[in-house]
Amino acid sequence: MLEMLKILFTILAIFSWRGTTFAASYYPGRINDAKAVYLDRVNFGARGDGEADDSEAVQRAIDKVQETTNQGILFIPAGRYRVTRPIYIWPGIRLIGYGATRPVFELAANTPGYQQGPAYMFFFAGFRPGSARASHRGSGRVLPAAGASPADANPGTFYSALSNIDLEIKEGNPGAVGVRARYAQHCFMAHMDFHVGSGLAGIHDGGNVAQDVHFYGGQYGIWTRKPSPGWQFTIIDATFEGQREAAIREHEAGLTLIRPRFKNVPTAISIDSKYSDELWVRDGYMENVTRPAVIVSNENNARTEINMEGVVCKNVPVFALYRESNKQIGSRDGAYTVNAFSHGLHFDDIGGKPAIQDVFETTPLSALPRPLKSDIPDLPPMETWVDIQSLGARGDGVSDDTEAFKKAIAGHRAIYLPSGQYLVSDTITLRPDTVLIGLHPSVTRILLADATPAFQGVGSPKPLLETPPGGTNIVTGVGLYTNGINPRAVAAKWMAGKDSLMNDVRFLGGHGTVDPGATVDEGFKVWQKIYNNTHTADSDLNRRWDGQYPSLWITDGGGGTFVDIWTPSTFAQAGLYISNTSTQGQIYQLSSEHHVRNEVMLENVSNWRIYALQTEEERGESGFALPLEIRDANDITVANLHMYRVVSSYQPFPYAIKITNSKNIRLRNVHCYSDAKVSFDNAVYDLTHNLEVRQREFAWLDVSGNAPPNPPKQSSPVLAESAKMEKLVGGFFNISGGAIDRSGDPYFVDAKWQTIYRWSAATRQLSKVRDNALDPIQLAFDKAGDLMVISYAGKGTVYSFNPGSPNDEVTLLKAEPAAPRPGMTPIVPVNYWRNENDFGDWALVKKPYQFLSPDNTTFIPAGQDFVSGELYYGSKIHDVLRAFGMAPVAPNQPFYVSDESEGKTYAAMVGDDGNISQLKLFAEQGGESLAEDEKGNVYIAAGQIFVYDSSGRLIDAIEVPERPSQLLFGGADGKTLFILARSSLYAVQSRYAGR
């Protein structure tokens, strides 16, 4: 017997060395779905024997899903599938493996085309070439024609997935990558092993959610950057082992790691040089990390937001390294727990003074703790699932399936829903242990018809789906749709307990709601349905925005785990409402978007952790929407919070987070932004103490609930003695684009009302200069005193007039080819916004056009995008339009420009052709505007006004009652600092005149 055991162990050792072991199959049996496609030998020629090339067979099967249902599922049986080229996964298609063992996709040794990289095994695509003729969301991008290379996944790529499939890269493929996945909401990878070996990476450019994924070998396990929509990338229950350079290489990924485990790697997480990220790690484990475990870049900038909690370390001698300064954090021997590691802009409490700080708190360990169990429970065994269609449900969107659901729930615990539209007419109430299992929330829906009688009239909330108090329910892979004319509807009322789970659930309505089986062309028509022609209401006015109760309502002791939730129904009062519960709850990657008043509300709540919450506000419906409201709450952590307003937004809004009567609120890694000119004016507003946090990017803010101290005012080194901030006039919509005339008076634009104003310092009166419907945005004066006006109208529109001339006198200026113009004054933007971290290169690109003033003393450089009227998602964001203001360039003097998106200000030189050169970082602060005084002090509008001396040293902070958007020195002596601040014009006297 002993000899037999020795032989068995020898065989196992040989196989563990020569081959690859794979995890157990998550779906060990065949899953029946009449609308799905099954990869097989008969229909597609798939062999699955590890020898034949199955690339074409797999692609044909994916194409079949797209051709029949557009969105849907391809089931792949156990087998070993050899591929020799990229497999393209079209939008909304999920590849799900099943069988006693997971299907394995293998890239054989020395496969041609994989020696240089990145070269992909699987490629999530944005569109199938030739599948439609429409352009996408007004972005100006036309879908690729048949035969063209497939487009990359993009912000409109929803629902795609890989699940229960393993990948293996054999030797001789150093450029090979398992998956490229630049997709958006409700896309994921789950239950996957990536055996990368000598290849490049398991995942390159990921997004949304990856869960239960494991990486072995490779130069990197994951190599990623900012996901295509800009949202977070959340990775749950992942392991990394044996990578050659770093387990994760990334930048700007919004990386959110829950229970990651790193072993035998040189570095766990490396952020690329000169880049930032919002990095959140909770309950990690690191073992045998030979170099610094975490490499942080861009260390002095507020855009770098790093927070890690509960990380157990064994043989991790250096925990963190700051790349630029080479500073090391946490040299420790043996085993220890990092209770907290934080780097970034810190507020100790609301009302506190922010500063870039480090926190590193550790506890030595005499023994390693047991690995944490995942809070994502497994599904019940497949042999216990009952197919609801076998119990009479039709899923055809016409027949009423209410009774079939009630029957199924009464008699069975685990209920499987194949693809279908399950129409119901009453609340579906689950038992305490009921599990609902779908596999695609866009094509597997439980829905109400419009005007369902039980959900009509004025009355208390009535759920579509309801869980009982304290339940252990699981709801996964389904869509819940309350439609548009059901005013009492709540899509899900969740009272289940701490061990419950909601995963991969879509609250349908609004963006991304495409009828199952619709073609790509039909899918694009959803944009004609969800909006009227002005984007101010639904195309059917009976379907009233903000006309229902919240979509997801967690209440009355409800708790549990919520993963990969998308809740954008404009018909709902809010996407998520949590109330009246102290039951433990955690959220991982929830997207709440496009609501009229509220995205997420917490009221009378404690003991919740919300990680990777993302909100988005649309132009038409969300101009007055509050992303996060916290009332009467305690012990709440919100980490890696992204709050965005779309590029076409025009309505200002005062704050992104509102907190009332709450304590022990921990905000970590807050990213509040917009490529429009109306990002939220304040990241946080504490109503209880009437305090604002203007900084839109910060790593750490604790709200204790205590009244803040009232520090004494410091004297200003730049303001005149006893100077006071004065509000000159208010009542505007959103002013910017100002310029100073020869007498020192400010002129400015309220673009919403197409009005140009002048403030007279002498008479202290406001006058209207022009209000013609010519879409003015920016102003500049030439030496003769004529105004040059940059207009949003048309293609490359700049016009001029004398302020004292009749209203009908307008001179249209033509774009001239760029040329050196010595002796003339260039007028250029003082702030820029870039969606990629490329300002240093982009700013140096020469402008091909110039607009000359009538007196030939002044000119405005302009890009091809402005002259051609190029659109970005239906909007113009050319630098001369997107800037909050322009400024004349003084000869032979440094010119300061602010990179608003990355929070940096640069000194530069501007040539006599108006082009920028010699960029040099001046300050790790950037914002909407800046101005310079005669002493070389630079005033930067970034929430408040931060003043730096000519060496780049911060010397003052000037508080303004409203967020400043443009700064202009004027007045008769040039010593009045005029401050344009959304709805008001302010002024304060300076010691020094402006330059």
Side-chain angles (χ1 to χ4, degrees), residues 406-427:
K406 291 181 178 180
K407 178 181 176 182
I409 292 166
H412 305 275
R413 178 189 176 216
I415 303 166
Y416 165 61
L417 281 63
S419 300
Q421 297 203 71
Y422 298 92
L423 182 70
V424 299
S425 56
D426 203 354
T427 299

Side-chain angles (χ1 to χ4, degrees), residues 534-589:
T534 60
H535 278 218
T536 55
D538 193 270
S539 59
D540 179 352
L541 295 182
N542 293 310
R543 293 164 59 87
R544 185 167 66 91
W545 290 351
D546 193 26
Q548 298 178 359
Y549 287 98
S551 291
L552 173 56
W553 184 18
I554 304 167
T555 190
D556 295 343
T561 301
F562 299 80
V563 183
D564 194 12
I565 309 298
W566 188 15
T567 172
S569 174
T570 310
F571 306 116
Q573 174 187 349
L576 169 65
Y577 178 38
I578 310 175
S579 68
N580 302 324
T581 182
S582 59
T583 302
Q584 177 183 325
Q586 45 276 331
I587 293 173
Y588 306 134
Q589 194 86 21

Side-chain angles (χ1 to χ4, degrees), residues 357-432:
Q357 294 182 8
D358 290 322
V359 172
F360 188 67
E361 300 172 354
T362 64
T363 301
L365 295 173
S366 57
L368 293 176
R370 298 181 64 180
L372 286 175
K373 182 182 178 182
S374 178
D375 49 17
I376 301 177
D378 289 332
L379 297 176
M382 286 191 68
E383 60 268 22
T384 68
W385 296 10
V386 61
D387 185 333
I388 196 166
Q389 292 187 2
S390 70
L391 301 177
R394 301 292 296 274
D396 58 10
V398 177
S399 305
D400 189 339
D401 289 324
T402 307
E403 292 305 314
F405 270 94
K406 291 181 178 180
K407 178 181 176 182
I409 292 166
H412 305 275
R413 178 189 176 216
I415 303 166
Y416 165 61
L417 281 63
S419 300
Q421 297 203 71
Y422 298 92
L423 182 70
V424 299
S425 56
D426 203 354
T427 299
I428 303 303
T429 303
L430 307 185
R431 294 193 306 172

Side-chain angles (χ1 to χ4, degrees), residues 44 90 323 339 530 553 619-620 664 725 768 788 868 942:
F44 303 105
W90 312 125
R323 190 186 297 273
N339 303 311
I530 64 174
W553 184 18
R619 172 190 176 95
N664 301 321
M725 185 70 60
K768 186 180 293 185
M788 301 174 70
S868 65

